[in-house]
């Protein structure tokens, strides 16, 4: 197990904005950062990172927490895995206590699959570089492609021997279970019980996640066997989902964010060759049709995609369909082609870095220009084909969410196609209306499928909301100001020299958490909301054991559910930045009340609410059987109402004292 000293050092060193910046494109928003949610599909940023508080909050999904929580949520790391990842990133040496056999057995299935996949990567690399077969076949192939030793090491390229079960035998000998070898797709077991290697006799391309974890493999056969697929990918598993992965994203993520552009290619060697040539902001769809999940993965890092197509005309027409998917995600698309007979791999290999960059910059066309020229070549002078291609163009434009961009593209299409804007706008309106109509039908179907639930009355909603908000405010005060010392004024009734009862102000200097705790103890109040009650108990215990409040240290001991609630409260002010009110000439007032006043008002307001509740409960429980019961009830309610008046006056005195 990792020692507490190592964990503390990781938390002290890791910067939440730096770590999350590897996965999400963040932009400054005052003293914070904001970006698109990595947990949901959105076009307006609702993801906030606070460098000062060292926490993050995703307002679209409700998730939030520390830097470790982010890695656990985003990369599905276990807690130790997240600590190891951060230790590696910040060059922190990990100190460990001895791990028992029981701990090893408790590792979940997913972790076992990761371990098997990582072992396979090392095995294939070792085979490539240090065996006669690997060097003669696999390494020779990569060298022929022009890959250097540094490039081969960087991408973890390898080789799987021609022997039927060479890898499986080695893995079993090392103690890896056959069950996990099968589940990750490295080993195939026949009905007769014999097993063999899926990637036998292939050069291997490890496929990594955004964080660098090995998810699966692509394997290329080197023989002329026409019955065997040229490329073979790992099957779907608990750790590998082909439609959600982009080859090369781990090595490209920083360059994509820095260049604010992502080059999208088709194959593994395209990515590797461009990287070696010096263009690192490039990923591949691994030979599959582009999916929305893959596009969203890029969208976290940049809004700009440049699709690199081979010079093959037939392939162009098929591949261009993926552009509509990119447009639907609200991204900006350019297209760059290469001369006939060339692809990104060969062009990068045969040209200097300067010539490559020059070609990419000068031959990247906006998608509308590219699609128009491509379709015009097909239609030539056929009016029917031209009408079809114009409609095809408008279909693509209709996918764009931004109305201003749509209009600009309509103008451009009108100019290129020599057709009036009005005709194009009418066609666009029909398509948009059709989409709206279909969406409306689906919405109605969804509503019919839902069970109708009778809504609560307004008074019921008010009761729930009032106590919830007051208790939430108490937690907020404890989180923000719990360890702060403040002057609290109490108004005590005392007799003067004439024997009259008068109020005297008595000021006590005390920590905020102590004031809240003593006030609630005095009134014998227990928070109604179960989550707030648990967080309240944790916070009071934390403050009693620690002089200062450290949010990272505190979040370490919380469950995921409690962590989300705490970060939601702590990031309340940051949430307002998402609205960008000032850009709309709306200026939101900030909280300027004295902390003492704010805490006192919340406590008094909660007391007032509880008194109201007591009165309502008394009235509902009243039995009209006897006159005495009624008189007693009236007397009790009258006493409570007097107390309410005193509390109302007290709030007025609190405000006047601190104004």
């Amino acid at each position: 197990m990792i020692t507490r000293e190592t964990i503390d050092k990781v938390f002290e060193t890791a910067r939440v904005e730096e770590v999350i910046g590897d996965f999400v494109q963040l932009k400054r928003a005052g003293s914070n950062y904001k970006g698109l949610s990595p947990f949901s599909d959105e076009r307006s940023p609702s993801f906030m990172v606070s460098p000062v508080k060292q926490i993050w909050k995703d307002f679209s999904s409700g998730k939030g927490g520390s830097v470790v929580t982010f890695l656990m949520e985003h990369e599905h790391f276990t807690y130790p895995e997240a600590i190891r990842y951060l230790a590696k990133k910040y060059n922190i040496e990990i100190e460990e206590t001895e791990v028992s056999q029981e701990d090893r057995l408790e590792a979940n299935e997913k972790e076992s699959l990761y371990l098997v996949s990582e072992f396979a990567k090392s095995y294939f690399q070792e085979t490539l570089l240090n065996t006669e077969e690997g060097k003669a076949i696999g390494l020779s192939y990569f060298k022929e492609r022009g890959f250097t030793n540094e490039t081969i090491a960087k991408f973890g390229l390898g080789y799987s021997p021609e022997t039927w079960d060479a890898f499986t035998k080695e893995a079993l000998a090392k103690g890896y279970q056959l069950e996990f070898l099968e589940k990750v797709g490295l080993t195939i077991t026949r009905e007769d019980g014999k097993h063999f290697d899926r990637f036998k006799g292939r050069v291997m391309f490890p496929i990594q996640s955004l964080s660098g974890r090995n998810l699966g493999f692509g394997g290329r056969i080197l023989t002329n066997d026409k019955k065997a697929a040229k490329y073979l990918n790992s099957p779907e598993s608990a750790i590998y989902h082909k439609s959600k992965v982009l080859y090369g994203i781990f090595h490209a993520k920083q360059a994509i964010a820095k260049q604010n552009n992502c080059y999208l290619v088709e194959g593994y060697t395209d990515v590797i060759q461009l990287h070696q040539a010096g263009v690192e902001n490039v990923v591949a769809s691994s030979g599959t049709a582009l999916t929305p999940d893959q596009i969203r993965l890029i969208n976290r890092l940049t809004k700009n995609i440049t699709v690199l197509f081979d010079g093959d005309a037939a392939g162009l027409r098929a591949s261009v369909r993926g552009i509509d998917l990119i447009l639907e995600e609200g991204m900006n698309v350019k297209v760059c082609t290469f001369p006939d007979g060339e692809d990104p791999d060969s062009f990068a290999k045969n040209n200097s870095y300067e010539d490559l960059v020059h070609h990419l910059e000068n031959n990247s066309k906006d998608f509308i220009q590219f699609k128009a020229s491509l379709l015009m070549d097909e239609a030539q002078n056929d009016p029917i084909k031209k009408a079809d291609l114009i409609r095809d163009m408008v279909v693509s434009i209709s996918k764009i969410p931004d109305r201003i961009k749509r209009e600009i593209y309509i103008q451009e299409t009108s100019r290129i196609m020599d057709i009036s804007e009005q005709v194009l706008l009418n066609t666009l309106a029909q398509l948009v209306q059709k989409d709206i109509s279909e969406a409306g039908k689906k919405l109605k179907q969804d509503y019919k499928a839902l069970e109708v639930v009778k809504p609560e009355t307004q008074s019921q909603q008010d009761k729930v909301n009032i106590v919830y908000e007051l208790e939430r405010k108490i937690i907020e005060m404890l989180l923000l100001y719990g360890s702060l010392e403040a002057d609290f004024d109490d108004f005590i009734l005392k007799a003067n020299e004439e024997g009259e009862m008068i109020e005297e102000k008595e000021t006590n200097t005390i920590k905020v958490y102590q004031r809240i705790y003593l006030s609630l103890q005095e009134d014998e109040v227990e928070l109604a909301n179960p989550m707030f009650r648990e967080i309240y108990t944790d916070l009071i215990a934390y403050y009693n054991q620690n002089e200062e409040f450290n949010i990272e240290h505190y979040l370490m001991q919380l469950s995921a559910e409690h962590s989300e609630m705490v970060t939601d409260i702590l990031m309340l002010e940051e949430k307002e930045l998402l609205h960008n009110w000032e850009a709309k000439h709306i200026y939101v007032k900030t909280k300027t009340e004295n902390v003492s006043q704010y805490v006192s008002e919340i406590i008094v307001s909660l007391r007032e609410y509880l008194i109201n509740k007591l009165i309502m409960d008394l009235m509902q429980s009243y039995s009209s059987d006897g006159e005495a019961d009624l008189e007693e009830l009236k007397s009790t309610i009258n006493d409570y109402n007097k107390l309410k008046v005193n509390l109302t006056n007290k709030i007025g005195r609190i405000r006047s004292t601190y104004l």
Side-chain angles (χ1 to χ4, degrees):
M1 294 177 63
I2 302 173
T3 62
R4 170 55 57 186
E5 289 74 16
T6 299
I7 293 172
D8 289 343
K9 191 170 183 180
V10 165
F11 271 94
E12 289 168 8
T13 309
R15 301 295 302 169
V16 67
E17 68 275 19
E18 292 174 354
V19 175
I20 294 179
D22 289 342
F23 302 91
V24 181
Q25 186 181 26
L26 299 174
K27 293 185 178 179
R28 268 283 180 191
S31 60
N32 302 295
Y33 292 91
K34 65 180 179 180
L36 292 174
S37 167
F39 303 107
S40 61
D41 178 20
E42 65 176 15
R43 295 190 177 93
S44 298
S46 68
F47 185 86
M48 297 293 294
V49 177
S50 171
V52 175
K53 298 171 184 172
Q54 281 298 294
I55 58 174
W56 60 276
K57 183 67 185 178
D58 178 25
F59 292 100
S60 66
S61 66
K63 300 177 188 294
S66 67
V67 63
V68 169
T69 312
F70 177 83
L71 292 171
M72 292 173 71
E73 288 284 355
H74 189 271
E75 293 301 302
H76 306 291
F77 284 170
T78 60
Y79 186 86
E81 288 173 342
I83 296 296
R84 291 180 192 280
Y85 174 89
L86 292 170
K88 183 178 179 182
K89 179 178 177 65
Y90 288 96
N91 297 316
I92 297 170
E93 185 177 349
I94 295 178
E95 297 178 4
E96 295 189 72
T97 56
E98 188 175 347
V99 181
S100 67
Q101 182 63 25
E102 290 76 14
D103 290 332
R104 290 192 182 95
L105 293 174
E106 286 176 4
N108 61 30
E109 179 177 306
K110 187 176 284 189
E111 179 58 24
S112 297
L113 297 182
Y114 279 125
L115 291 172
V116 165
S117 189
E118 197 59 44
F119 166 74
K121 179 185 173 184
S122 300
Y123 171 82
F124 295 139
Q125 280 183 293
E126 178 71 18
T127 303
L128 176 79
L129 300 173
N130 296 313
T131 68
E132 292 303 318
E133 182 184 345
K135 288 188 281 189
I137 301 174
L139 191 59
S140 295
Y141 168 77
F142 288 131
K143 291 293 185 180
E144 286 172 11
R145 301 298 304 229
F147 299 157
T148 63
N149 291 335
E150 291 75 15
T151 298
I152 290 169
K154 178 179 180 180
F155 285 90
L157 305 180
Y159 176 73
S160 179
E162 185 67 32
T163 311
W164 279 103
D165 59 354
F167 164 74
T168 303
K169 273 186 176 178
E170 182 68 15
L172 293 174
K174 294 289 186 183
Y176 294 96
Q177 296 179 38
L178 181 61
E179 173 192 359
F180 299 123
L181 294 172
E182 291 173 335
K183 285 184 175 180
V184 86
L186 288 162
T187 300
I188 298 173
T189 302
R190 298 191 315 197
E191 291 182 3
D192 61 6
K194 291 185 178 180
H195 40 252
F196 61 92
D197 299 342
R198 178 182 295 273
F199 296 103
K200 178 182 78 76
R202 293 175 181 266
V203 287
M204 304 298 291
F205 299 86
I207 300 170
Q208 295 172 288
S209 70
L210 198 65
S211 64
R213 303 203 83 183
N214 208 71
L215 306 175
F217 297 89
R220 187 192 192 283
I221 199 166
L222 300 180
T223 64
N224 295 321
D225 186 354
K226 294 182 179 180
K227 294 181 181 179
K230 183 178 178 181
Y231 276 96
L232 185 66
N233 271 28
S234 293
E236 293 282 309
S237 71
I239 63 172
Y240 179 61
H241 304 285
K242 194 173 184 179
S243 65
K244 298 182 179 182
V245 177
L246 286 164
Y247 181 74
I249 190 71
F250 172 65
H251 296 293
K253 60 186 179 184
Q254 292 183 343
I256 291 171
K258 186 176 180 181
Q259 302 292 333
N260 196 22
N261 182 44
C262 177
Y263 290 115
L264 181 65
V265 296
E266 186 178 351
Y268 305 124
T269 58
D270 294 326
V271 170
I272 297 170
Q273 200 70 254
L274 284 166
H275 261 267
Q276 184 168 285
V279 177
E280 297 188 346
N281 52 325
V282 56
V283 297
S285 57
S286 302
T288 64
L290 196 62
T291 68
D293 284 326
Q294 290 172 330
I295 297 166
R296 288 172 199 141
L297 195 58
I298 298 172
N299 199 8
R300 297 177 195 171
L301 302 170
T302 180
K303 300 291 288 185
N304 305 303
I305 293 182
T306 302
V307 184
L308 305 185
F309 285 138
D310 300 351
D312 177 25
L316 284 177
R317 190 69 180 87
S319 302
V320 80
R321 297 189 189 101
I323 289 178
D324 286 356
L325 285 176
I326 301 173
L327 293 172
E328 282 186 56
E329 295 300 319
M331 300 184 72
N332 307 313
V333 192
K334 287 188 175 182
V335 178
C336 180
T337 59
F338 294 90
D340 286 341
E342 293 267 34
D343 58 23
D345 180 356
S346 63
F347 193 88
K349 180 181 177 182
N350 299 324
N351 290 272
S352 66
Y353 171 75
E354 290 75 18
D355 289 340
L356 173 60
V357 172
H358 182 270
H359 180 85
L360 294 175
E361 290 178 351
N362 289 276
N363 290 275
S364 294
K365 296 180 181 178
D366 189 271
F367 93 93
I368 205 76
Q369 296 172 329
F370 169 76
K371 193 167 184 177
S373 61
L374 178 68
L375 297 178
M376 285 292 280
D377 287 342
E378 290 185 5
Q380 295 180 347
N381 296 320
D382 188 327
I384 296 176
K385 285 186 177 179
K386 185 175 180 181
D388 288 342
L389 77 87
I390 291 172
R391 187 172 186 82
D392 196 348
M393 297 279 289
V394 179
V395 167
S396 290
I397 295 171
S398 72
K399 305 293 183 184
I400 301 171
D402 190 296
R403 292 181 62 183
I404 295 174
K405 284 184 180 179
R406 284 206 303 258
E407 187 164 340
I408 291 171
Y409 281 127
I410 285 290
Q411 292 171 358
E412 185 68 8
T413 303
S414 171
R415 183 187 64 78
I416 295 170
M417 298 296 187
D418 192 23
I419 189 171
S420 73
E421 285 184 34
Q422 193 57 50
V423 170
L424 296 176
L425 286 169
N426 290 341
T427 306
L428 177 63
Q430 291 172 6
L431 291 169
V432 172
Q433 186 58 45
K434 182 182 177 183
D435 288 343
I436 293 171
S437 177
E438 289 176 355
K441 288 178 183 177
K442 186 178 184 304
L443 196 59
K444 286 180 182 178
Q445 291 172 354
D446 291 343
Y447 272 124
K448 286 179 182 178
L450 292 173
E451 181 181 356
V452 179
V453 180
K454 186 177 179 181
E456 292 181 319
T457 63
Q458 186 62 45
S459 61
Q460 287 173 322
Q461 291 175 356
D462 289 344
K463 286 179 184 177
V464 174
N465 290 342
I466 289 171
V467 71
Y468 179 89
E469 291 301 328
L470 286 171
E471 291 183 353
R472 182 184 167 101
K473 287 294 182 186
I474 287 173
I475 300 300
E476 180 185 341
M477 289 296 98
L478 286 171
L479 287 167
L480 294 176
Y481 309 112
S483 59
L484 183 73
E485 282 195 343
D487 294 332
F488 289 93
D489 292 332
D490 289 307
F491 299 90
I492 312 298
L493 283 174
K494 290 186 177 180
N496 62 13
E497 293 179 356
E498 289 76 23
E500 298 173 330
M501 299 301 292
I502 61 170
E503 279 188 339
E504 278 191 11
K505 185 172 73 172
E506 190 175 276
T507 302
N508 295 300
T509 302
I510 190 173
K511 288 190 175 183
V512 168
Y513 88 88
Q514 294 171 328
R515 174 68 174 194
I516 292 173
Y517 175 76
L518 292 172
S519 297
L520 296 186
Q521 282 287 97
E522 180 186 340
D523 295 329
E524 297 182 353
V525 173
E526 186 179 62
L527 302 189
N529 184 285
M531 187 184 297
F532 290 153
R533 189 164 59 244
E534 291 171 11
I535 294 174
Y536 171 80
T537 303
D538 287 343
L539 280 168
I540 296 300
Y542 184 92
Y543 281 120
N544 281 325
Q545 296 170 14
N546 300 275
E547 284 292 319
E548 297 294 331
F549 182 69
N550 183 301
I551 182 60
E552 294 174 57
H553 187 262
Y554 175 67
L555 286 174
M556 286 167 59
Q557 65 193 40
L558 296 184
S559 66
E561 187 182 19
H562 287 182
S563 180
E564 288 178 11
M565 176 58 75
V566 167
T567 51
D568 190 51
I569 293 170
L570 287 171
M571 297 289 274
L572 190 61
E573 292 178 3
E574 282 79 356
K575 188 176 183 179
E576 293 297 324
L577 295 173
L578 295 173
H579 298 295
N580 197 16
W581 295 121
E582 291 189 10
K584 302 172 186 175
H585 304 290
I586 301 172
Y587 299 93
V588 181
K589 291 182 179 180
T590 56
K591 185 164 60 190
T592 56
E593 292 94 339
N594 182 287
V595 171
S596 302
Q597 176 195 358
Y598 199 54
V599 170
S600 299
E601 282 191 19
I602 291 167
I603 292 170
V604 172
S605 297
L606 182 61
R607 285 174 176 166
E608 188 177 22
Y609 169 80
L610 293 173
I611 290 170
N612 278 329
K613 188 175 184 300
L614 281 171
I615 293 172
M616 292 299 295
D617 290 345
L618 281 170
M619 293 175 68
Q620 288 174 2
S621 64
Y622 164 66
S623 170
S624 59
D625 291 342
E627 193 69 30
D629 288 343
L630 179 60
E631 289 304 317
E632 185 179 346
L633 175 68
K634 286 180 178 179
S635 175
T636 304
I637 290 176
N638 189 45
D639 289 341
Y640 280 139
N641 280 327
K642 287 179 181 177
L643 186 54
K644 274 177 60 181
V645 171
N646 288 335
L647 288 172
T648 303
N649 292 336
K650 186 171 184 179
I651 289 178
R653 289 193 295 273
I654 290 168
R655 286 175 177 162
S656 63
T657 300
Y658 291 110
L659 287 177

